[in-house]
Amino acid sequence: MSNDMATTTAVTADDLPRRINWFMPHRIVLMLLFVGAVVLAATTMRWDWLPQYQGQLVAGVGRTLLLLFSSAAVGMVLALLLGLVRVTGPWPLAWLATGFCSVIRGTPLLLQLWLIYYGLGSLFAQYPEIRSSFLWPYLRQAWPYGFLTLTLSFAAYEGEVMRGAFKGVPRGELEAAKAYGMSRWTAFHRIWLPRALHRALPTLSGETVLQLKATPLVATITVMDVYGVINKVRSATYLVYEPLLLLALVYLVLTGLLVLGFRYLEDLVPAKR
């Protein structure tokens, strides 16, 4: 009885949310260095341009977040399908899914972006039917191609992750669900999918951060995200360090918020034992 109580206590302790001790020596030193760097930058560098561009910067951050979350959401749906097809088949679809993931993961994202924007965009422009349709006002812009590229990239990387997550769920749990009388769909959405998502959550956190860091590439096709606005500031003011330091701070803050959000999700849904 005492052993059972000890095991229960240990499990409960492990399942408690992890608390960060901000007063550890190395964290205090890092925080002091960060505050010192901010004070030094604020007092010795030029920031008189900031009020003029603050509206564009806020709009640029909004576009960056919109691209990030929309491409990650749609890409995650595609990733679930890719991972499931690669695990369950049929083999022609599994082969196509494997080929798609291999091509996307094996080529640079910038190359994919340019191929889709300059290739697919130019192809659409050659057809009068498309140019006269209601879609043309959207297809002539750059953001749909940036969104498509980021979505396909996220789907390919997360599709590989979900393949491993689906395969990693113990077969005994699925067999027990079948023996219990659950249908395939019920067992999938009540056991297989939640367990696979929980296994993939730490990797999903890292991939989402990488997706955030990939969004500046859309500025190369004239999408004015926060990186594009910073480039505009640099061209107009001939400043180098101040805009780039502000950009680094923006991405640091966004990355920190993403990491904290995913840690909250990991603690919210403890792993089953």
XYZ file of all heavy atoms in Angstrom, residues 98-164:
549
model
N 5.685 10.614 -49.061
C 7.121 10.540 -48.769
C 7.921 11.367 -49.756
O 8.859 12.088 -49.375
C 7.596 9.076 -48.814
O 6.848 8.303 -47.862
C 9.078 8.974 -48.482
N 7.549 11.297 -51.032
C 8.245 12.095 -52.038
C 8.067 13.585 -51.811
O 9.024 14.359 -51.936
N 6.851 13.994 -51.463
C 6.596 15.409 -51.190
C 7.448 15.900 -50.023
O 8.108 16.951 -50.110
C 5.116 15.615 -50.887
C 4.787 16.966 -50.331
C 4.690 18.079 -51.167
C 4.577 17.147 -48.965
C 4.390 19.333 -50.649
C 4.286 18.393 -48.449
C 4.185 19.487 -49.289
N 7.449 15.166 -48.927
C 8.230 15.570 -47.751
C 9.725 15.599 -48.072
O 10.443 16.507 -47.627
C 7.965 14.618 -46.587
S 6.291 14.720 -45.907
N 10.190 14.648 -48.855
C 11.619 14.592 -49.187
C 12.034 15.776 -50.054
O 13.088 16.385 -49.838
C 11.943 13.277 -49.903
O 11.649 12.166 -49.078
N 11.200 16.131 -51.034
C 11.535 17.250 -51.920
C 11.517 18.571 -51.158
O 12.448 19.385 -51.276
C 10.554 17.298 -53.110
C 10.729 18.591 -53.902
C 10.780 16.093 -54.025
N 10.484 18.802 -50.376
C 10.382 20.067 -49.650
C 11.486 20.183 -48.608
O 12.119 21.247 -48.468
C 8.997 20.201 -48.986
C 7.896 20.246 -50.056
C 8.940 21.453 -48.119
C 7.968 21.424 -50.981
N 11.753 19.117 -47.889
C 12.776 19.169 -46.847
C 14.185 19.166 -47.413
O 15.138 19.544 -46.735
C 12.602 17.997 -45.883
C 11.299 18.052 -45.106
C 11.015 16.778 -44.332
N 11.954 16.638 -43.226
C 12.699 15.570 -43.015
N 12.640 14.556 -43.865
N 13.508 15.501 -41.975
N 14.331 18.763 -48.663
C 15.656 18.668 -49.255
C 16.066 19.853 -50.105
O 17.177 19.877 -50.642
N 15.171 20.852 -50.232
C 15.493 22.038 -51.035
C 15.344 23.295 -50.181
O 14.529 23.326 -49.255
C 14.563 22.145 -52.263
O 13.198 22.087 -51.826
C 14.823 20.995 -53.230
N 16.107 24.353 -50.477
C 16.023 25.580 -49.672
C 14.650 26.234 -49.774
O 14.026 26.249 -50.837
C 17.108 26.481 -50.282
C 18.018 25.556 -51.022
C 17.164 24.430 -51.504
N 14.203 26.784 -48.673
C 12.907 27.448 -48.639
C 12.878 28.661 -49.566
O 11.864 28.938 -50.207
C 12.566 27.871 -47.201
C 11.232 28.563 -46.991
C 10.076 27.683 -47.451
C 11.053 28.939 -45.522
N 13.985 29.397 -49.645
C 14.034 30.563 -50.529
C 13.852 30.144 -51.987
O 13.162 30.826 -52.761
C 15.356 31.304 -50.350
C 15.533 32.587 -51.169
C 14.453 33.597 -50.806
C 16.922 33.175 -50.955
N 14.446 29.026 -52.383
C 14.283 28.519 -53.742
C 12.824 28.152 -54.006
O 12.278 28.462 -55.075
C 15.190 27.312 -53.953
C 15.068 26.581 -55.292
C 15.416 27.507 -56.449
C 15.949 25.335 -55.312
N 12.188 27.501 -53.057
C 10.776 27.159 -53.213
C 9.923 28.412 -53.359
O 9.006 28.458 -54.194
C 10.313 26.344 -52.002
C 11.045 25.038 -51.800
C 10.800 24.466 -50.422
O 9.833 24.804 -49.747
N 11.691 23.592 -49.965
N 10.228 29.420 -52.549
C 9.469 30.667 -52.605
C 9.585 31.324 -53.969
O 8.579 31.759 -54.559
C 9.960 31.619 -51.508
C 9.293 32.985 -51.429
C 7.815 32.855 -51.112
C 9.992 33.855 -50.390
N 10.787 31.396 -54.502
C 10.988 32.022 -55.805
C 10.360 31.202 -56.925
O 9.803 31.762 -57.867
C 12.477 32.223 -56.057
C 13.048 33.353 -55.248
C 12.363 34.222 -54.442
C 14.426 33.736 -55.164
N 13.226 35.119 -53.862
C 14.499 34.849 -54.288
C 15.593 33.246 -55.732
C 15.701 35.477 -53.983
C 16.802 33.868 -55.426
C 16.845 34.977 -54.563
N 10.455 29.880 -56.845
C 9.845 29.031 -57.868
C 8.329 29.217 -57.891
O 7.714 29.292 -58.961
C 10.195 27.561 -57.626
C 11.609 27.120 -58.009
C 11.842 25.677 -57.591
C 11.825 27.272 -59.518
N 7.712 29.291 -56.715
C 6.259 29.445 -56.656
C 5.841 30.844 -57.081
O 4.887 31.025 -57.853
C 5.753 29.116 -55.238
C 5.903 27.614 -54.973
C 4.299 29.544 -55.064
C 5.496 27.188 -53.586
N 6.568 31.860 -56.606
C 6.170 33.241 -56.906
C 6.445 33.595 -58.363
O 5.546 34.051 -59.086
C 6.915 34.203 -55.981
C 6.616 35.656 -56.271
C 5.343 36.180 -56.086
C 7.623 36.511 -56.728
C 5.065 37.511 -56.345
C 7.356 37.848 -56.985
C 6.082 38.337 -56.796
O 5.816 39.661 -57.064
N 7.679 33.374 -58.820
C 8.033 33.755 -60.187
C 7.557 32.731 -61.213
O 7.290 33.084 -62.364
C 9.546 33.931 -60.304
C 10.075 35.085 -59.490
C 10.845 34.862 -58.358
C 9.791 36.395 -59.838
C 11.327 35.916 -57.591
C 10.254 37.461 -59.083
C 11.030 37.215 -57.958
O 11.496 38.265 -57.205
N 7.445 31.466 -60.785
C 6.997 30.435 -61.714
C 5.490 30.349 -61.797
O 4.885 30.593 -62.854
N 4.845 30.045 -60.664
C 3.393 29.895 -60.653
C 2.707 31.231 -60.912
O 1.699 31.301 -61.634
C 2.956 29.322 -59.302
C 1.534 28.786 -59.197
C 1.309 27.663 -60.192
C 1.262 28.298 -57.772
N 3.242 32.313 -60.341
C 2.645 33.628 -60.572
C 2.698 34.038 -62.029
O 1.728 34.586 -62.576
N 3.817 33.776 -62.685
C 3.929 34.091 -64.108
C 3.028 33.205 -64.955
O 2.480 33.646 -65.974
C 5.384 33.939 -64.560
O 6.238 34.795 -63.827
N 2.854 31.953 -64.529
C 1.993 31.029 -65.272
C 0.539 31.491 -65.229
O -0.165 31.463 -66.256
C 2.121 29.626 -64.684
C 1.335 28.510 -65.383
C 1.859 28.295 -66.801
C 1.424 27.214 -64.585
N 0.078 31.928 -64.069
C -1.303 32.419 -63.963
C -1.538 33.624 -64.866
O -2.614 33.762 -65.458
C -1.605 32.804 -62.513
C -1.764 31.616 -61.596
C -1.480 31.731 -60.234
C -2.209 30.403 -62.073
C -1.635 30.658 -59.389
C -2.360 29.301 -61.244
C -2.071 29.440 -59.895
N -0.538 34.482 -64.972
C -0.699 35.707 -65.761
C -0.849 35.434 -67.248
O -1.308 36.307 -68.001
C 0.495 36.627 -65.521
N -0.498 34.239 -67.701
C -0.558 33.924 -69.131
C -1.958 33.529 -69.594
O -2.204 33.438 -70.797
C 0.419 32.787 -69.449
C 1.874 33.153 -69.205
C 2.807 31.982 -69.492
O 2.388 30.947 -70.001
N 4.076 32.149 -69.150
N -2.865 33.280 -68.643
C -4.204 32.806 -69.004
C -5.222 33.936 -68.830
O -5.452 34.400 -67.706
C -4.598 31.603 -68.147
C -3.757 30.391 -68.423
C -2.605 30.133 -67.685
C -4.104 29.499 -69.446
C -1.828 29.020 -67.937
C -3.334 28.373 -69.711
C -2.198 28.141 -68.955
O -1.424 27.037 -69.219
N -5.863 34.378 -69.924
C -6.873 35.455 -69.828
C -8.034 35.075 -68.916
O -8.637 35.949 -68.287
C -7.335 35.642 -71.271
C -6.227 35.081 -72.112
C -5.637 33.962 -71.310
N -8.376 33.769 -68.879
C -9.490 33.337 -68.028
C -9.203 33.638 -66.551
O -10.098 34.044 -65.807
C -9.742 31.832 -68.206
C -10.190 31.426 -69.605
C -9.004 31.259 -70.556
O -7.841 31.414 -70.089
O -9.238 30.977 -71.751
N -7.956 33.434 -66.146
C -7.588 33.716 -64.756
C -7.511 35.216 -64.509
O -7.965 35.721 -63.482
C -6.250 33.034 -64.411
C -6.395 31.509 -64.489
C -5.766 33.449 -63.025
C -5.126 30.751 -64.201
N -6.952 35.929 -65.482
C -6.801 37.381 -65.323
C -8.155 38.092 -65.257
O -8.251 39.180 -64.670
C -5.984 37.946 -66.485
C -4.525 37.498 -66.474
C -3.810 38.031 -67.704
N -3.767 39.486 -67.689
C -2.784 40.210 -67.155
N -1.771 39.600 -66.575
N -2.808 41.523 -67.197
N -9.171 37.504 -65.859
C -10.497 38.132 -65.833
C -11.390 37.582 -64.722
O -12.534 38.012 -64.590
C -11.199 37.921 -67.184
O -11.353 36.530 -67.455
N -10.883 36.640 -63.944
C -11.690 36.048 -62.880
C -11.597 36.881 -61.604
O -10.759 37.778 -61.474
C -11.223 34.610 -62.593
O -9.945 34.621 -61.971
N -12.458 36.540 -60.647
C -12.477 37.267 -59.367
C -11.243 36.968 -58.532
O -10.959 37.664 -57.548
C -13.743 36.891 -58.589
C -13.728 35.486 -58.045
C -13.324 35.243 -56.733
C -14.121 34.411 -58.842
C -13.309 33.960 -56.232
C -14.105 33.124 -58.341
C -13.705 32.890 -57.036
N -10.489 35.916 -58.890
C -9.296 35.551 -58.125
C -8.083 36.403 -58.484
O -7.134 36.471 -57.699
C -8.947 34.073 -58.373
C -9.940 33.042 -57.838
C -9.524 31.639 -58.284
C -10.018 33.111 -56.315
N -8.108 37.035 -59.646
C -6.917 37.736 -60.105
C -6.462 38.863 -59.177
O -5.255 39.037 -58.974
C -7.128 38.268 -61.520
C -5.896 38.934 -62.073
C -5.753 40.238 -62.446
C -4.623 38.320 -62.300
N -4.479 40.483 -62.888
C -3.761 39.320 -62.809
C -4.127 37.031 -62.120
C -2.443 39.070 -63.142
C -2.797 36.776 -62.448
C -1.971 37.790 -62.956
N -7.363 39.652 -58.576
C -6.875 40.680 -57.641
C -6.054 40.117 -56.491
O -5.213 40.822 -55.925
C -8.173 41.340 -57.134
C -9.146 41.123 -58.244
C -8.806 39.775 -58.801
N -6.294 38.842 -56.154
C -5.509 38.206 -55.090
C -4.258 37.529 -55.654
O -3.178 37.614 -55.056
C -6.367 37.165 -54.354
C -7.636 37.746 -53.774
C -8.854 37.595 -54.437
C -7.622 38.445 -52.572
C -10.024 38.128 -53.917
C -8.786 38.974 -52.043
C -9.980 38.815 -52.723
O -11.125 39.357 -52.202
N -4.413 36.876 -56.801
C -3.283 36.143 -57.377
C -2.197 37.069 -57.900
O -1.056 36.644 -58.071
C -3.777 35.231 -58.514
C -4.711 34.096 -58.094
C -5.173 33.307 -59.316
C -4.032 33.167 -57.102
N -2.525 38.319 -58.167
C -1.504 39.247 -58.647
C -0.669 39.801 -57.503
O 0.344 40.464 -57.740
C -2.161 40.398 -59.413
C -3.027 41.304 -58.560
C -3.779 42.320 -59.393
N -2.871 43.190 -60.121
C -3.261 44.163 -60.941
N -4.552 44.351 -61.156
N -2.377 44.928 -61.534
N -1.099 39.553 -56.265
C -0.331 40.004 -55.119
C 0.688 38.948 -54.717
O 0.633 37.796 -55.168
C -1.260 40.311 -53.944
C -2.285 41.404 -54.247
C -3.170 41.684 -53.054
O -2.720 41.747 -51.920
N -4.466 41.861 -53.308
N 1.589 39.342 -53.845
C 2.682 38.435 -53.469
C 2.330 37.545 -52.285
O 2.838 36.424 -52.178
C 3.943 39.246 -53.138
N 1.463 38.010 -51.376
C 1.265 37.273 -50.130
C 0.671 35.867 -50.315
O 1.011 34.962 -49.521
C 0.414 38.091 -49.150
C -1.006 38.321 -49.561
C -1.509 39.406 -50.182
C -2.108 37.427 -49.363
N -2.850 39.268 -50.398
C -3.255 38.056 -49.892
C -2.250 36.173 -48.782
C -4.512 37.472 -49.879
C -3.494 35.575 -48.768
C -4.619 36.223 -49.314
N -0.220 35.598 -51.314
C -0.706 34.222 -51.433
C 0.424 33.225 -51.719
O 0.386 32.088 -51.241
C -1.699 34.285 -52.601
C -2.113 35.705 -52.680
C -0.898 36.476 -52.295
N 1.428 33.646 -52.466
C 2.539 32.749 -52.791
C 3.450 32.558 -51.585
O 3.989 31.460 -51.366
C 3.308 33.314 -53.985
C 2.417 33.570 -55.175
C 1.948 34.852 -55.461
C 1.999 32.529 -55.991
C 1.104 35.090 -56.524
C 1.156 32.753 -57.064
C 0.710 34.035 -57.328
O -0.134 34.262 -58.379
N 3.626 33.613 -50.794
C 4.369 33.460 -49.554
C 3.651 32.539 -48.584
O 4.271 31.673 -47.950
N 2.337 32.722 -48.481
C 1.541 31.852 -47.607
C 1.612 30.398 -48.064
O 1.797 29.484 -47.243
C 0.094 32.338 -47.595
C -0.877 31.362 -47.003
C -0.969 31.199 -45.635
C -1.698 30.596 -47.824
C -1.860 30.294 -45.089
C -2.587 29.688 -47.287
C -2.677 29.543 -45.913
N 1.476 30.162 -49.365
C 1.514 28.805 -49.892
C 2.867 28.158 -49.631
O 2.941 26.988 -49.209
C 1.219 28.825 -51.395
C 1.284 27.474 -52.121
C 0.273 26.504 -51.541
C 1.065 27.656 -53.614
N 3.938 28.891 -49.844
C 5.271 28.331 -49.641
C 5.506 27.971 -48.179
O 5.996 26.879 -47.863
C 6.339 29.334 -50.100
O 6.091 29.702 -51.455
C 7.725 28.734 -49.988
N 5.166 28.884 -47.285
C 5.359 28.612 -45.859
C 4.482 27.451 -45.392
O 4.904 26.631 -44.567
C 5.047 29.863 -45.047
C 6.030 31.027 -45.194
C 5.503 32.263 -44.466
C 7.404 30.648 -44.663
N 3.267 27.362 -45.934
C 2.368 26.277 -45.554
C 2.912 24.921 -45.989
O 2.930 23.960 -45.211
C 0.984 26.499 -46.174
O 0.432 27.721 -45.681
C 0.038 25.357 -45.834
N 3.373 24.831 -47.231
C 3.914 23.562 -47.730
C 5.173 23.163 -46.970
O 5.385 21.977 -46.674
C 4.209 23.681 -49.225
C 2.987 23.882 -50.132
C 3.428 23.988 -51.595
C 1.985 22.755 -49.964
N 6.007 24.149 -46.641
C 7.217 23.850 -45.888
C 6.887 23.306 -44.499
O 7.434 22.291 -44.058
C 8.087 25.107 -45.773
O 9.213 24.875 -44.953
N 5.971 23.966 -43.813
C 5.584 23.519 -42.477
C 4.941 22.136 -42.539
O 5.202 21.284 -41.679
C 4.618 24.525 -41.860
C 4.387 24.328 -40.395
C 5.257 24.866 -39.471
C 3.288 23.612 -39.939
C 5.052 24.692 -38.113
C 3.066 23.432 -38.588
C 3.949 23.971 -37.666
N 4.116 21.902 -43.546
C 3.449 20.610 -43.688
C 4.459 19.488 -43.899
O 4.316 18.396 -43.335
C 2.459 20.658 -44.859
N 5.492 19.734 -44.701
C 6.483 18.697 -44.975
C 7.278 18.337 -43.721
O 7.473 17.155 -43.415
C 7.426 19.158 -46.082
N 7.740 19.341 -42.998
C 8.525 19.071 -41.793
C 7.676 18.434 -40.700
O 8.090 17.462 -40.054
C 9.174 20.360 -41.288
C 10.399 20.753 -42.062
C 10.314 21.631 -43.144
C 11.643 20.231 -41.734
C 11.440 21.986 -43.872
C 12.780 20.587 -42.457
C 12.669 21.461 -43.521
O 13.788 21.803 -44.244
N 6.484 18.974 -40.479
C 5.633 18.412 -39.452
C 5.024 17.076 -39.879
O 4.669 16.259 -39.038
C 4.520 19.392 -39.085
C 4.942 20.462 -38.120
C 5.558 19.896 -36.854
O 4.930 19.038 -36.204
O 6.672 20.300 -36.512
N 4.890 16.853 -41.193
C 4.427 15.550 -41.659
C 5.378 14.449 -41.265
O 4.962 13.341 -40.878
N 6.683 14.731 -41.335
C 7.683 13.760 -40.886
C 7.591 13.547 -39.380
O 7.711 12.422 -38.882
C 9.082 14.261 -41.260
C 10.196 13.278 -40.987
C 10.125 12.043 -41.866
O 9.586 12.140 -42.982
O 10.598 10.978 -41.417
N 7.375 14.635 -38.644
C 7.234 14.519 -37.190
C 5.996 13.702 -36.827
O 6.050 12.819 -35.951
C 7.155 15.927 -36.556
C 6.811 15.837 -35.072
C 8.475 16.666 -36.738
N 4.882 13.968 -37.484
C 3.652 13.252 -37.173
C 3.729 11.791 -37.578
O 3.104 10.934 -36.945
C 2.452 13.931 -37.847
C 2.109 15.297 -37.288
S 1.962 15.339 -35.484
C 0.695 14.094 -35.199
N 4.486 11.497 -38.618
C 4.684 10.081 -38.970
C 5.321 9.336 -37.801
O 4.859 8.252 -37.405
C 5.574 9.974 -40.209
C 5.859 8.526 -40.644
C 6.992 8.474 -41.640
N 8.244 8.912 -41.043
C 9.034 8.139 -40.286
N 8.675 6.887 -40.022
N 10.147 8.609 -39.782
N 6.384 9.916 -37.244
C 7.013 9.287 -36.094
C 6.115 9.270 -34.869
O 6.128 8.303 -34.095
